[in-house]
Amino acid sequence: MKKAAAIFKIIFIGLLVLVAVIFIAFGYKDRTVKELSAKYAAPPSAFIEVDGMQVHYRDEGNRADSVPLVLIHGTGSSLHTFDAWAAGLKKEKRVVRMDIPAFGLTGSFPNRQYSIQHYVTFINHFLFALGIQKCIIGGNSLGGEIAWNYTVQFPGMVKKLLLIDAAGYPLESKSVPIGFKIARMSVINRLLTFITPRLMVKMSVENVYADKSKVTDALVDRYFDLTLREGNRQAIIDRLNLPPDTSAVPLIRNIQQPVLIMWGNQDLLIPVKYAYRFHNDLRDDTLIILNNTGHVPMEENPQESLAALLAFLKK
């Protein structure tokens, strides 16, 4: 008995040491908006109150453009994912983008409700707050799902629609970022609210890129830093644990606006077959498949994806 007790004591102490090492190596406190703003909210960034939140956004470019381009990022990302596009568009277009709730500098929904309907309502209130009465709206992944649902519900607000590796259909992924997987594991996901290895974030970003060499330290730092924004880690867990709601899918056929469907042929999260589903369901669309490109074309392949967008906007 004494020997068993001694072995148990050693194992227990070993586990405590292991937990302590993990906390020291990978434990990170939440970072405040003030801490992060110096790096990620320099001009032209601004904040506007919408639904009780201080929403981080950028409104750039030609102020005479009465139908601005509104861009919505995907899960785990931020408005910065469209930096290259904004730089190429703002000489002629007005470009509006925001950190949607749960991500970036905006932070969580006060009621922790992350349904697509809640995001659609948020976008409507955000556009109203900026005085936008009609727009070209688009988004990547989750942002794409929000954009097409917004178009279905507020067709009079939308002139054209842009879907970039957009979500919405019942999904069968070929590969899912490790951060997404852990966030969906009950009990274990609670650890993510204070233990968030930078390596996990890097692996998650690499998972959505076709060319891993394009995942730079600066890019990983941005995703990592903004994940640590106070409230975001819990918000991401809340969002990723919602049961999928595909009830609006039949309404895609009702969309009458011209639509640009843009997809990376190496997207493993939302494979390219879903581009063809949108293509088959939509009435008026242009389908662009980008070779050697993953889930975030505007970030991984900005020049080719921007050229396709510019051609669509000129139609």
Side-chain angles (χ1 to χ4, degrees):
M1 290 292 293
K2 290 184 178 180
K3 186 176 181 180
I7 293 173
F8 177 80
K9 184 177 180 181
I10 292 171
I11 292 173
F12 181 72
I13 293 173
L15 287 173
L16 287 179
V17 171
L18 178 61
V19 170
V21 169
I22 291 173
F23 267 86
I24 293 170
F26 304 119
Y28 293 93
K29 293 181 179 179
D30 283 345
R31 295 182 183 172
T32 66
V33 174
K34 185 177 180 180
E35 287 179 90
L36 294 167
S37 289
K39 186 173 182 179
Y40 297 107
S45 279
F47 290 84
I48 188 170
E49 185 172 348
V50 179
D51 297 342
M53 298 170 288
Q54 289 298 313
V55 177
H56 176 224
Y57 76 103
R58 289 186 177 180
D59 186 349
E60 305 171 79
N62 181 7
R63 304 301 295 187
D65 181 7
S66 61
V67 186
L69 176 62
V70 176
L71 298 170
I72 310 170
H73 65 79
T75 299
S77 190
S78 67
L79 61 77
H80 299 281
T81 195
F82 295 107
D83 280 352
W85 276 16
L89 288 163
K90 62 185 180 182
K91 289 183 180 180
E92 296 188 9
K93 287 293 298 178
R94 180 183 175 191
V95 184
V96 178
R97 47 201 169 119
M98 80 303 293
D99 288 342
I100 61 173
F103 312 107
L105 294 176
T106 294
S108 56
F109 274 125
N111 61 5
R112 294 177 59 182
Q113 297 298 312
Y114 296 96
S115 67
I116 295 299
Q117 180 56 54
H118 200 184
Y119 276 115
V120 168
T121 301
F122 162 77
I123 292 296
N124 195 45
H125 293 171
F126 172 77
L127 296 180
F128 179 80
L130 290 183
I132 295 173
Q133 299 179 359
K134 200 173 189 70
C135 65
I136 298 167
I137 194 166
N140 172 234
S141 196
L142 167 63
E145 184 175 7
I146 295 167
W148 69 253
N149 274 273
Y150 181 83
T151 303
V152 166
Q153 293 186 40
F154 300 97
M157 286 286 294
V158 179
K159 182 178 180 181
K160 292 183 177 182
L161 173 63
L162 168 62
L163 301 177
I164 316 159
D165 298 69
Y169 291 104
L171 182 60
E172 295 178 1
S173 298
K174 293 182 179 179
S175 181
V176 176
I178 186 172
F180 289 20
K181 291 179 180 178
I182 295 175
R184 290 178 174 134
M185 295 179 181
S186 59
V187 181
I188 293 176
N189 60 14
R190 296 178 183 274
L191 295 175
L192 282 183
T193 60
F194 47 89
I195 297 175
T196 310
R198 184 181 180 278
L199 178 60
M200 182 188 72
V201 175
K202 180 181 180 182
M203 291 171 63
S204 295
V205 177
E206 288 179 338
N207 184 267
V208 297
Y209 269 61
D211 184 352
K212 316 304 181 192
S213 69
K214 293 183 178 180
V215 179
T216 64
D217 286 342
L219 182 68
V220 175
D221 284 345
R222 187 185 80 208
Y223 276 92
F224 179 62
D225 290 344
L226 294 176
T227 296
L228 298 182
R229 190 268 193 216
E230 52 192 356
N232 277 0
R233 287 180 282 186
Q234 182 61 57
I236 291 171
I237 292 170
D238 291 343
R239 168 61 199 159
L240 288 175
N241 280 279
L242 281 180
D245 180 3
T246 58
S247 60
V249 166
L251 301 178
I252 292 172
R253 295 178 180 271
N254 296 342
I255 295 173
Q256 299 184 22
Q257 290 86 345
V259 183
L260 174 61
I261 304 167
M262 183 184 299
W263 227 270
N265 73 332
Q266 298 298 314
D267 188 346
L268 302 180
L269 181 58
I270 308 181
V272 72
K273 70 178 182 179
Y274 293 100
Y276 292 99
R277 286 203 63 177
F278 277 112
H279 178 61
N280 291 332
D281 284 346
L282 290 164
R283 301 182 181 191
D284 180 6
D285 71 277
T286 301
L287 176 61
I288 300 292
I289 306 297
L290 301 171
N291 292 327
N292 304 313
T293 304
H295 184 63
V296 284
M298 64 288 172
E299 195 174 273
E300 182 180 7
N301 190 356
Q303 292 185 337
E304 189 176 356
S305 60
L306 178 58
L309 174 59
L310 288 170
F312 174 71
L313 295 177
K314 290 176 181 177
K315 289 184 177 181

